C-alpha cells in the first residue's frame, strides 16, 4: 500500500495516540496502525519480503523503505509467526527455566532469543523463540516493544470463548501450509499444537485424531474454524459427516463489526491481539 493511501487514513501528527502492530512471518510481513480512541482510524498494510534473504535483512530493509515506521507510537506490538513455542502452566512457571523448557521440545538454534508471554485467561505461559538479530533491530528502532508469539493472542482469546456453555471446544486455525489446533475444556487449555499440511485430507486426519484422543463427543462438543483458506468449505462439509457441532468463526460478529474486521485478508491472530490487549 503506498504511503499516500496510508496518510489518507492516518493522521501521523497524532501518531502518539496510535498502536502499531508488526506481524513477522516467513511468508511476508504485515502492519496495522490503530487508534483505540477512534475505531474508524485503522490501516492494514501487507508486505511481501525476499524469502531467500535472512529475516533480519528484510527487517532492516523495511525500516529504510517505510516512512510510517519512523513515527513515534503509543504502543508497538510485534507478533512472531512460527511454531517454536511451548506452554507452561502458570502455577509452575519460573522465568529462569523458560529457555530450558523450550529446548526440551524444540532443538536449539543459533542466534535466537527466548521470550515469554503470560496469559491470564488461559492461566498459562507461552515461551517462544525469535531471531536475536531481528529482536535487536526492533528494540533499537523503537523505545519500547512488546513481543508476542502468534499462539499467545489465539490461546488467550479462545480460552475466554471456551468458557461459554458446558461443552469442550476445539479451535482450528487454517493457514496456507499449516493447521493449528487449540483445545479447551471450559477455559482449561487441553492442547495446543501446529502441523505442517496443506491438503484437506491431512487436515481432517489431524482434527479427527486429536478429537478421538481427547475423548471429545461427536454429538455435543464443538469444533470452531477460523483462517483464510479456500478449502475451508470443503473440509467443513466433510467433517459434518462425523461431527455434529461444526462452526465458522465470523470476525465481524466476534469483534462487534469494528473497522479491523472490514479488511478480509487481515490474519485472525492479529485481530485477536487487538481484542485481548495482552
Amino acid at each position: 500500500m503506498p504511503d499516500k493511501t496510508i496518510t489518507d487514513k492516518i493522521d501521523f501528527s497524532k501518531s502518539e495516540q496510535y498502536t502499531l502492530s508488526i506481524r513477522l512471518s516467513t511468508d511476508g510481513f504485515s502492519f496495522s496502525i490503530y487508534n483505540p480512541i477512534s475505531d474508524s482510524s485503522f490501516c492494514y498494510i501487507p508486505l511481501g519480503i525476499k524469502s531467500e534473504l535472512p529475516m533480519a535483512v528484510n527487517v532492516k530493509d523495511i525500516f529504510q523503505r517505510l516512512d510510517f515506521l519512523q513515527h513515534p507510537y503509543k504502543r508497538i506490538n510485534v507478533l512472531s509467526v512460527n511454531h517454536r513455542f511451548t506452554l507452561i502452566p502458570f502455577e509452575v512457571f519460573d522465568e529462569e527455566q523458560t529457555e530450558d523448557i523450550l529446548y526440551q521440545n524444540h532443538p536449539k538454534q543459533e542466534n535466537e532469543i527466548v521470550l515469554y508471554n503470560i496469559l491470564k485467561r488461559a492461566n498459562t505461559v507461552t515461551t517462544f523463540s525469535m531471531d536475536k538479530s531481528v529482536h535487536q533491530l526492533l528494540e533499537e528502532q523503537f523505545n519500547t516493544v512488546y513481543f508476542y508469539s502468534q499462539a499467545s493472542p489465539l490461546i488467550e482469546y479462545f480460552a475466554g470463548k471456551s468458557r461459554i456453555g458446558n461443552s469442550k471446544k476445539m479451535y482450528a486455525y487454517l493457514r496456507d501450509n499449516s493447521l493449528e489446533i487449540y483445545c479447551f475444556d471450559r477455559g482449561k487449555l487441553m492442547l495446543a499444537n501446529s502441523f505442517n499440511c496443506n491438503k484437506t485430507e491431512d487436515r481432517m486426519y489431524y482434527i479427527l485424531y486429536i478429537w478421538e484422543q481427547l475423548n471429545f463427543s461427536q454429538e455435543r462438543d464443538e469444533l470452531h474454524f477460523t483462517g483464510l483458506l479456500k478449502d475451508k468449505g470443503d473440509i467443513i462439509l466433510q467433517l459434518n459427516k462425523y461431527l455434529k457441532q461444526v462452526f465458522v468463526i465470523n470476525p465481524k460478529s466476534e469483534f462487534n463489526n469494528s473497522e479491523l474486521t472490514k479488511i478480509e485478508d487481515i490474519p485472525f491472530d492479529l485481530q485477536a491481539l487487538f481484542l485481548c490487549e495482552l
Side-chain angles (χ1 to χ4, degrees):
M1 179 182 291
D3 280 3
K4 175 64 169 62
T5 306
I6 299 172
T7 54
D8 286 344
K9 295 185 176 182
I10 303 296
D11 181 359
F12 283 104
S13 68
K14 301 177 181 178
S15 66
E16 292 181 344
Q17 298 178 6
Y18 290 82
T19 295
L20 168 67
S21 294
I22 304 173
R23 185 178 187 271
L24 302 178
S25 170
T26 54
D27 298 331
F29 298 165
S30 59
F31 310 85
S32 69
I33 305 171
Y34 176 63
N35 186 345
I37 299 173
S38 173
D39 185 55
S40 61
S41 298
F42 177 81
C43 187
Y44 175 68
I45 308 106
L47 183 72
I49 62 172
K50 298 178 180 178
S51 57
E52 71 276 10
L53 297 178
M55 182 77 76
V57 174
N58 281 288
V59 170
K60 187 178 293 186
D61 179 61
I62 65 170
F63 287 144
Q64 296 173 347
R65 292 197 293 119
L66 302 179
D67 292 340
F68 67 84
L69 295 178
Q70 310 306 319
H71 292 277
Y73 292 91
K74 180 179 181 180
R75 182 182 176 95
I76 297 167
N77 301 320
V78 173
L79 194 64
S80 177
V81 180
N82 67 61
H83 302 321
R84 291 175 58 77
F85 69 88
T86 293
L87 301 177
I88 306 170
F90 183 74
E91 292 83 358
V92 299
F93 171 65
D94 182 345
E95 183 177 1
E96 295 182 357
Q97 296 181 358
T98 53
E99 188 169 313
D100 292 338
I101 292 174
L102 180 70
Y103 291 141
Q104 288 178 6
N105 295 282
H106 300 277
K108 190 171 184 178
Q109 293 184 356
E110 295 297 323
N111 193 45
E112 70 177 2
I113 185 170
V114 176
L115 307 169
Y116 66 87
N117 303 139
I118 296 175
L119 310 181
K120 295 180 181 179
R121 291 181 189 173
N123 197 36
T124 191
V125 178
T126 309
T127 178
F128 64 102
S129 66
M130 69 179 299
D131 185 281
K132 185 181 292 185
S133 298
V134 171
H135 183 270
Q136 183 177 350
L137 283 168
L138 290 162
E139 289 208 316
E140 289 174 352
Q141 178 73 16
F142 306 112
N143 289 330
T144 303
V145 189
Y146 297 89
F147 293 92
Y148 300 99
S149 164
Q150 179 211 21
S152 294
L154 294 172
I155 291 171
E156 192 75 335
Y157 180 70
F158 294 146
K161 294 292 290 183
S162 70
R163 290 187 173 93
I164 300 172
N166 294 316
S167 60
K168 297 177 184 177
K169 295 177 178 63
M170 174 186 288
Y171 297 91
Y173 185 25
L174 302 177
R175 296 169 56 206
D176 284 338
N177 295 304
S178 68
L179 166 68
E180 295 165 27
I181 295 178
Y182 304 92
C183 298
F184 295 85
D185 185 358
R186 281 150 288 196
K188 182 180 179 181
L189 180 64
M190 303 175 67
L191 177 143
N193 210 340
S194 59
F195 307 91
N196 293 322
C197 56
N198 56 15
K199 295 181 179 179
T200 297
E201 54 267 32
D202 293 334
R203 300 178 196 277
M204 286 185 59
Y205 168 79
Y206 287 120
I207 289 170
L208 293 174
Y209 177 77
I210 292 172
W211 195 275
E212 182 180 17
Q213 291 298 305
L214 295 182
N215 294 315
F216 273 39
S217 167
Q218 291 177 265
E219 299 287 334
R220 181 172 57 85
D221 293 329
E222 300 175 10
L223 170 61
H224 296 260
F225 277 99
T226 186
L228 301 170
L229 284 198
K230 296 178 181 179
D231 73 340
K232 188 160 51 180
D234 184 37
I235 191 173
I236 291 171
L237 184 64
Q238 296 298 320
L239 285 168
N240 275 137
K241 299 176 182 178
Y242 308 98
L243 311 178
K244 298 300 183 182
Q245 308 294 332
V246 181
F247 307 95
V248 176
I249 294 174
N250 182 352
K252 289 185 179 181
S253 60
E254 294 289 313
F255 302 117
N256 297 320
N257 204 31
S258 71
E259 287 295 315
L260 66 91
T261 66
K262 294 179 181 179
I263 303 172
E264 291 187 358
D265 60 347
I266 184 170
F268 190 80
D269 47 52
L270 197 55
Q271 294 175 330
L273 181 62
F274 290 125
L275 192 70
C276 292
E277 297 180 347
L278 293 174

